[in-house]
C-alpha cells in the first residue's frame, strides 16, 4: 500500500464519522451526507497523489464533501434563489445547540440508534454512517444478502425523514434512557465481532470489535462522567485483549481455561483495569454500578489471575449475584452456575443449570456447560449426548472444532 493509500485509509478510520456528521447537521439529509463523504474520499485518492497529503486531512475532506453536497443539491433542485445558494456556500454560523452536548457525531449516533427504528436497522445504520463500513462488509458480518441490508438501511433513512426524527442529542431528562439504547447497539455489534454467530464466516470479526470500540470511545470522550459508558468500554477492552489467544493455529476456539495468558494484549488490559478501578471507586462513594460495569468487573477478575486456578471465584459469584438484581436473564444464571461449580462443585452447579432447560434448550452454551459438568461428574454417556447437542447448535466452525475435541476426549 502506498503512502497516499495509507493516509486515505487512516483518514477514513479517523474522520469518516466526523465528516458524515458535519454534513448531516448542515444539510439535514443522511443520503446526501453519506454520498458526499464517499465522493470526497474517492477524490482524495486522486488529489493527494498529485498534490500530497494535506496538513489537516479531516478539514480537507469536510470541505470537499461539503462542496460535493452543494453541487448535488444544485443539480437536483436547480435552485434559482441566488441568495439561498450564497447562504449555503458561505454559511459559517455555528449550529444551534439542541441538547446537553453540542457535537455532530454524538447527534448522529443518537439519530442512527433512535428507538423508533428496529434494532437490526439501528445496527446497520450505525455501522454504515458512523463506522464507515460498506454494505457488503456489514452484510457479510450479519449473514444477510447485500440487497436485504441495502433495503434495511434505505428504509431506516426513509423512516428518519418521514417521522422527522430530530438530529440532536436528547434533552437531559431523556438522555439516560437513550444512552442505554445506544450502548445496546454497540454491545450487539461488539458481540457479533467477538464470536460470530454464523457457520460460514470468520469466528472472530476484528473489524466489528474495532468499530464498536472506536464508537464507544467516542461516546466515552463526549460523556466522560457516564458510568455505563465507561463500563462498556472497559468490558470491550478486557474482552478484546484476549483476542490473540482465542483461536488456535488450527482454527479451534480456545476457551478461557486453556488460553495462553502471556499472549493477551497488555495495553488493552491495563486500560480496561484502570476504567474498572475508576468505577469501583465511584461505587464505593455510593454510585450504584450498572450492568456493563458489573460485567466489566467480572472480566477484570478473570484477567487479573495469572492462571485459571488463581481466579477469585468467590468474587465472581458475588458479582453475578449483584448482576442478577439488574438482569435476571437465564444467560446470567448460566454464567453464575459455571462460577459456582468452582466453589461448590459440579453437582451443585449442574442442578442450577438443569433448571434453565426450558429457557435455554436452543442455546449451544447451555448444552456445552452441561456436557462439561457431566464430564467432571463421570457421567460419560450423558456428557457425550450433551456435547452432540451443543455441536448441533454451535454457531461457527471454531466453536464446533472445540466441542468436537472435548467430546472425543471422553473415555
Amino acid at each position: 500500500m502506498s503512502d497516499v493509500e495509507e493516509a486515505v485509509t487512516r483518514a477514513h478510520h479517523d474522520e469518516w464519522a466526523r465528516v458524515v456528521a458535519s454534513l448531516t447537521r448542515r444539510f439535514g439529509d443522511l443520503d446526501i451526507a453519506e454520498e458526499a463523504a464517499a465522493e470526497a474520499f474517492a477524490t482524495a485518492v486522486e488529489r493527494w497523489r498529485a498534490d500530497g497529503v494535506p496538513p489537516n486531512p479531516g478539514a480537507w475532506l469536510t470541505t470537499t464533501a461539503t462542496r460535493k453536497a452543494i453541487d448535488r443539491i444544485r443539480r437536483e433542485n436547480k435552485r434559482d434563489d441566488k441568495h439561498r445558494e450564497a447562504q449555503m456556500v458561505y454559511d459559517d454560523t455555528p449550529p444551534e445547540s439542541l441538547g446537553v452536548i453540542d457535537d455532530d457525531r454524538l447527534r448522529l449516533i443518537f439519530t442512527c440508534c433512535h428507538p423508533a427504528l428496529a434494532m437490526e436497522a439501528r445496527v446497520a445504520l450505525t455501522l454504515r454512517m458512523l463506522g464507515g463500513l460498506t454494505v457488503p462488509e456489514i452484510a457479510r458480518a450479519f449473514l444477510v444478502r447485500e440487497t436485504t441490508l441495502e433495503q434495511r438501511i434505505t428504509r431506516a433513512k426513509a423512516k428518519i425523514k418521514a417521522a422527522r426524527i430530530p438530529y440532536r442529542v436528547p434533552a437531559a431528562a431523556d438522555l439516560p434512557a437513550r444512552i442505554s439504547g445506544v450502548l445496546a447497539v454497540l454491545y450487539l455489534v461488539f458481540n457479533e465481532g467477538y464470536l460470530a454467530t454464523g457457520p460460514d464466516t470468520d469466528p472472530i470479526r476484528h473489524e466489528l470489535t474495532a468499530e464498536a470500540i472506536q464508537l464507544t470511545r467516542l461516546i466515552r470522550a463526549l460523556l466522560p462522567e457516564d458510568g455505563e459508558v465507561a463500563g462498556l468500554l472497559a468490558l470491550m477492552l478486557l474482552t478484546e485483549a484476549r483476542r490473540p489467544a482465542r483461536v488456535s493455529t488450527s482454527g479451534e476456539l480456545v476457551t478461557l481455561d486453556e488460553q495462553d495468558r502471556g499472549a493477551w494484549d497488555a495495553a488493552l488490559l491495563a486500560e480496561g483495569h484502570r476504567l474498572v478501578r475508576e468505577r469501583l471507586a465511584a461505587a464505593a462513594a455510593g454510585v450504584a454500578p450498572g450492568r456493563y460495569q458489573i460485567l466489566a468487573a467480572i472480566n477484570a477478575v478473570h484477567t487479573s489471575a495469572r492462571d485459571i486456578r488463581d481466579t477469585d471465584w468467590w468474587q465472581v459469584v458475588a458479582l453475578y449475584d449483584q448482576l442478577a438484581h439488574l438482569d435476571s436473564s437465564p444467560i446470567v444464571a448460566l454464567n453464575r452456575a459455571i462460577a459456582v461449580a468452582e466453589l461448590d462443585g459440579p453437582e451443585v452447579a449442574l442442578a442450577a443449570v438443569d433448571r434453565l432447560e426450558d429457557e435455554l434448550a436452543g442455546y449451544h452454551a447451555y448444552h456445552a456447560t452441561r456436557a462439561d459438568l457431566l464430564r467432571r461428574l463421570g457421567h460419560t454417556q450423558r456428557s457425550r449426548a450433551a456435547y452432540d447437542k451443543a455441536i448441533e447448535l454451535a454457531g461457527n466452525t471454531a466453536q464446533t472444532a472445540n466441542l468436537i475435541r472435548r467430546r472425543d476426549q471422553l473415555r
Side-chain angles (χ1 to χ4, degrees), residues 138-402:
I138 304 171
R140 284 196 301 271
F142 290 95
L143 303 176
V144 298
R145 290 180 297 181
E146 292 181 25
T147 53
T148 301
L149 197 282
E150 185 71 61
Q151 291 169 358
R152 189 175 292 173
I153 292 175
T154 300
R155 285 195 298 267
K157 291 178 182 177
K159 186 166 187 176
I160 288 172
K161 183 178 294 186
R164 296 185 178 181
I165 292 174
Y167 173 64
R168 69 185 182 201
V169 175
D174 300 327
L175 193 55
R178 290 291 302 280
I179 279 288
S180 65
V182 172
L183 297 185
V185 169
L186 297 179
Y187 189 39
L188 182 60
V189 171
F190 181 85
N191 279 341
E192 181 61 29
Y194 165 73
L195 191 59
T197 54
D200 299 321
T201 187
D202 292 336
I204 297 177
R205 300 297 305 273
H206 175 58
E207 70 274 19
L208 289 183
T209 58
E211 293 300 338
I213 290 173
Q214 180 190 12
L215 294 176
T216 307
R217 285 191 187 280
L218 171 61
I219 298 288
R220 167 71 174 161
L222 298 170
L223 299 174
E225 302 303 319
D226 190 292
E228 279 294 79
V229 175
L232 180 58
L233 179 57
L235 174 60
M236 289 179 176
L237 294 173
L238 293 174
T239 305
E240 180 71 0
R242 295 188 275 111
R243 180 171 58 86
R246 289 190 59 241
V247 176
S248 70
T249 54
S250 63
E252 177 185 329
L253 185 71
V254 182
T255 53
L256 182 62
D257 58 310
E258 296 180 326
Q259 286 177 15
D260 175 10
R261 301 188 174 213
W264 291 353
D265 189 311
L268 293 180
L269 286 177
E271 184 181 0
H273 280 275
R274 177 180 58 77
L275 287 170
V276 170
R277 287 194 298 271
E278 289 178 6
R279 299 318 308 161
L280 289 175
V287 181
R291 176 171 176 261
Y292 297 119
Q293 294 169 73
I294 297 173
L295 286 171
I298 292 170
N299 272 265
V301 175
H302 283 301
T303 53
S304 294
R306 295 183 178 181
D307 186 272
I308 189 71
R309 293 168 294 186
D310 300 327
T311 304
D312 188 344
W313 293 107
W314 182 91
Q315 189 176 9
V316 172
V317 172
L319 287 167
Y320 272 119
D321 288 339
Q322 192 175 1
L323 180 61
H325 289 294
L326 302 176
D327 181 2
S328 58
S329 71
I331 301 297
V332 171
L334 178 67
N335 289 328
R336 181 187 183 278
I338 294 171
V340 165
E342 305 302 323
L343 286 180
D344 301 329
E347 188 170 4
V348 174
L350 182 61
V353 169
D354 282 344
R355 288 194 291 269
L356 303 172
E357 181 177 7
D358 291 343
E359 297 171 288
L360 297 180
Y363 183 42
H364 83 277
Y366 164 77
H367 298 282
T369 301
R370 285 193 74 248
D372 181 65
L373 295 173
L374 289 166
R375 175 189 59 79
R376 292 167 64 177
L377 290 168
H379 302 311
T380 302
Q381 294 305 317
R382 293 173 63 195
S383 176
R384 184 181 300 277
Y387 274 124
D388 286 340
K389 187 63 176 178
I391 291 167
E392 177 187 334
L393 296 170
N396 59 52
T397 55
Q399 285 178 318
T400 302
N402 174 268

Side-chain angles (χ1 to χ4, degrees), residues 56-70:
N56 189 336
W60 188 98
L61 289 161
T62 300
T63 299
T64 303
T66 300
R67 290 171 179 163
K68 298 286 186 183
I70 291 171

